[in-house]
Amino acid sequence: ALHLPYTSQEVSVAKDDDERYLRQLCNKLDLCPTAYGRCSSLHDVAQLLERQCKVTLAPKLLTPEAQLAMRRKLGVGIPLQVKDAFG
């Protein structure tokens, strides 16, 4: 289990913008797992991460719409699908 230092309620009742920003910042996580395997879908990727890295992703994050929205919000042009030499 992962416990964040501040709940969403604590962030929402922060006294000023600076305090709210710091609390939100402290609740951010950078997760950089590495797994190796052949995947043909986001579902396969999620299973591989769960099996090899013990990381479980919410099914909502695996939808193409959610993936595209995250990429747009981050301002990155990473394709949703790629093909390698094996198809």
Side-chain angles (χ1 to χ4, degrees):
L2 178 65
H3 299 281
L4 298 173
Y6 300 104
T7 65
S8 58
Q9 184 179 6
E10 289 173 318
V11 170
S12 67
V13 298
K15 296 174 187 150
D16 57 31
D17 289 340
D18 289 337
E19 184 179 346
R20 188 174 299 110
Y21 173 77
L22 288 174
R23 287 185 178 195
Q24 287 175 338
L25 183 66
C26 290
N27 278 356
K28 303 288 185 211
L29 299 174
D30 288 329
L31 181 63
C32 304
T34 301
Y36 180 81
R38 192 170 196 133
C39 300
S40 60
S41 70
L42 288 172
H43 180 72
D44 292 344
V45 171
Q47 286 183 329
L48 186 65
L49 285 171
E50 189 168 353
R51 191 171 53 250
Q52 291 188 6
C53 302
K54 308 297 185 240
V55 172
T56 303
L57 299 175
K60 184 178 180 180
L61 293 175
L62 302 176
T63 65
E65 296 82 12
Q67 290 290 312
L68 185 58
M70 284 186 277
R71 286 165 170 76
R72 284 184 175 156
K73 186 173 183 173
L74 293 170
V76 294
I78 302 171
L80 293 177
Q81 296 179 353
V82 295
K83 289 190 177 189
D84 61 12
F86 300 105

